[in-house]
Amino acid sequence: MAVYILSNRKIIRHKGERVDSFSNDEYSIPNFRIAKCDFEGYKEPTAAAKKKKDYTNRNILNYRLFSEPEKQGYQEVLDVLLSEKGVKKTSLTANNLGGTQRMFYELYKNMSSTKDRSDVLIFIHGYAYDFDDELKAIIDLKKLFIDNPKSPVEHILFVSWPASSSIVPLTYFDDKASSINSGNSLMRLFYFYTQFLKDIFSNRDLVPCNQRIHLMTHSMGNRVLQSMLYSLKKENILRVIDQVLLLNADVSYKVFEDSEDSFNKLPLLANRVSIYLNRQDVILGISQFTKNILTPRLGKNGPSDIEKFKDIVSVIDCTFVKDDIQSSIKFDIGNHWGYLSSSQVQNDIFQNLYGIDRNLIEGRIKNNENIFTIIS
């Protein structure tokens, strides 16, 4: 089990600390850094501890930033892996690896060491998260996807991007700019990963682990994904993702059209794409009528036209689900966080991640060839 943070947040050193940390500042930097979360000895904080002003950063969850790699590319990862197999001699060890080198090395080692499912989930959060909020979200995601036996996920890559910490509508536009910058970081990760695959598996002594990588985006996190897709050239896309889950997506309902040149690339990237929507999503309703010039949102209204993608892209209507896990004004009125508040949505997601045929997933009814409704 491993949880990594990919972030283009500013790097700072807090008073009294000897290690670098991610900042709560609300602007992005050009490059991203990778950190690994440390759950060793983790204890759930008490309600009193959560109210303290010092309940921030590593007081929420400890993590360690990886060093930057000394050399670009993945030849050194290959050398270490071959050395561990006794095929090649080198003085290098895993401790010499930095950044994506270290993360890809660890994931490959862990995912290759078992015949059971050991999937990776890449998660992109939505609007109004500071870094402390992200650390709390990581803890929730670990409980939901790693600790839960219903889930095939063993590893999480959390994409941290500097969204505004305020829910004031005007900050939405700042988040739109940050999401574009963060999409460029995500694009670099995609190219690094495809380069890793080419460099490592060009050697016949190493074989793929045959595990799966999934991508889940919530709310405005879909705009981060959109920014990445804008920049990807179709001829350079490899199908390296199994399931893509678009949750309450705060992007235009036209994103799958060729004129948008963004989400129409997802069927080249993934085996299956699932759009989870809620037609009573209040947050997306506000987004549509106050910030997006009356443009219907994908996560509330569904896509305008996915006829040519109907074999790969599915629509899952969550309008009638019950919030039986978390019930508060935020969840009851917002109808925007079904993946956290509803066991019905979670069970549907778990079955999706396992790759069950979309027509055989329990708890949903079929409206037509690729549109389904989760029933209560």
Side-chain angles (χ1 to χ4, degrees):
M1 184 278 291
V3 178
Y4 301 91
I5 302 172
L6 170 74
S7 183
N8 63 340
R9 288 183 175 274
K10 180 182 176 182
I11 303 296
I12 61 173
R13 183 161 295 187
H14 291 287
K15 185 178 180 180
E17 293 185 354
R18 296 185 178 181
V19 291
D20 290 336
S21 301
F22 290 117
S23 168
N24 266 325
D25 291 351
E26 298 173 6
Y27 63 88
S28 58
I29 60 177
N31 299 319
F32 65 82
R33 292 288 299 275
I34 294 175
K36 185 177 183 180
C37 296
D38 179 12
F39 287 94
E40 190 71 28
Y42 173 79
K43 294 182 180 179
E44 184 74 25
T46 64
K50 291 180 180 180
K51 290 182 179 179
K52 289 184 178 180
K53 293 182 179 180
D54 64 352
Y55 183 61
T56 60
N57 211 270
R58 286 185 171 83
N59 292 324
I60 300 173
L61 176 62
N62 192 26
Y63 59 92
R64 176 176 59 87
L65 270 76
F66 286 160
S67 62
E68 293 281 52
E70 295 181 3
K71 296 181 180 179
Q72 297 300 314
Y74 300 97
Q75 179 61 47
E76 292 188 344
V77 181
L78 178 60
D79 290 344
V80 172
L81 290 171
L82 293 177
S83 174
E84 292 175 346
K85 289 178 68 71
V87 176
K88 182 178 181 178
K89 291 184 178 181
T90 179
S91 60
L92 295 174
T93 68
N95 291 330
N96 296 110
L97 305 176
T100 57
Q101 295 173 345
R102 184 64 180 262
M103 181 177 71
F104 292 155
Y105 163 83
E106 291 184 356
L107 286 173
Y108 175 70
K109 291 282 289 185
N110 289 331
M111 296 166 74
S112 301
S113 64
T114 178
K115 293 182 180 179
D116 297 328
R117 288 289 290 270
S118 182
D119 295 1
V120 175
L121 176 66
I122 303 171
F123 183 87
I124 311 176
H125 68 79
Y127 172 52
Y129 276 69
D130 63 19
F131 186 66
D132 291 342
D133 294 328
E134 291 174 349
L135 290 175
K136 296 170 188 174
I138 287 172
I139 295 170
D140 291 337
L141 289 171
K142 177 181 177 292
K143 292 177 182 177
L144 176 58
F145 290 106
I146 295 179
D147 299 341
N148 194 331
K150 294 181 180 180
S151 167
V153 172
E154 285 291 326
H155 316 282
I156 294 174
L157 174 52
F158 187 93
V159 179
S160 157
W161 60 282
S164 170
S165 59
S166 171
I167 60 173
V168 176
L170 288 177
T171 65
Y172 180 94
F173 297 103
D174 295 330
D175 279 1
K176 288 174 73 173
S178 293
S179 69
I180 293 173
N181 294 336
S182 301
N184 293 331
S185 295
L186 193 63
M187 181 188 69
R188 291 181 63 212
L189 177 69
F190 171 78
Y191 281 130
F192 285 158
Y193 178 62
T194 55
Q195 187 61 49
F196 169 80
L197 295 178
K198 293 175 182 177
D199 289 351
I200 299 304
F201 300 125
S202 61
N203 189 292
R204 295 183 179 180
D205 292 303
L206 298 173
V207 294
C209 61
N210 294 321
Q211 302 291 355
R212 298 163 179 83
I213 298 176
H214 312 293
L215 175 62
M216 181 181 294
T217 57
H218 179 244
S219 191
M220 197 182 286
N222 287 271
R223 192 176 292 273
V224 176
L225 175 61
Q226 184 179 33
S227 178
M228 165 192 158
L229 293 170
Y230 279 144
S231 302
L232 282 182
K233 304 295 184 183
K234 286 186 176 180
E235 58 270 21
N236 295 331
I237 298 178
L238 299 177
R239 183 170 278 114
V240 294
I241 303 295
D242 185 31
Q243 306 291 326
V244 170
L245 287 76
L246 311 176
L247 311 177
N248 304 80
D250 194 359
V251 289
S252 166
Y253 74 129
K254 295 183 178 182
V255 287
F256 281 91
E257 296 182 13
D258 288 342
S259 59
E260 288 286 321
D261 197 32
S262 58
F263 280 47
N264 61 337
K265 299 172 185 176
L266 281 178
L268 301 175
L269 182 67
N271 291 325
R272 185 163 71 187
V273 180
S274 299
I275 304 168
Y276 285 79
L277 60 84
N278 190 316
R279 300 189 187 281
Q280 296 179 0
D281 191 315
V282 173
I283 306 301
L284 295 185
I286 294 173
S287 172
Q288 174 181 336
F289 287 101
T290 63
K291 311 157 194 169
N292 288 288
I293 318 177
L294 302 184
T295 304
R297 314 318 288 158
L298 178 67
K300 179 177 171 66
N301 302 86
S304 58
D305 182 14
I306 52 171
E307 177 65 23
K308 65 181 180 180
F309 302 128
K310 62 184 180 181
D311 292 338
I312 294 177
V313 180
S314 301
V315 176
I316 299 95
D317 191 337
C318 306
T319 304
F320 307 104
V321 303
K322 297 179 180 179
D323 292 329
D324 57 342
I325 298 176
Q326 298 193 49
S327 182
S328 65
I329 294 178
K330 169 184 173 180
F331 295 111
D332 293 343
I333 296 179
N335 294 312
H336 188 62
W337 293 272
Y339 76 102
L340 291 176
S341 62
S342 170
S343 62
Q344 296 169 281
V345 176
Q346 290 181 3
N347 287 331
D348 196 279
I349 288 173
F350 294 147
Q351 292 178 79
N352 237 337
L353 294 178
Y354 266 112
I356 295 175
D357 186 293
R358 63 185 180 181
N359 297 300
L360 301 178
I361 291 179
E362 296 179 354
R364 58 165 68 167
I365 58 173
K366 186 175 182 178
N367 302 106
N368 63 30
E369 188 173 0
N370 65 326
I371 299 177
F372 304 85
T373 298
I374 297 180
I375 54 176
S376 58

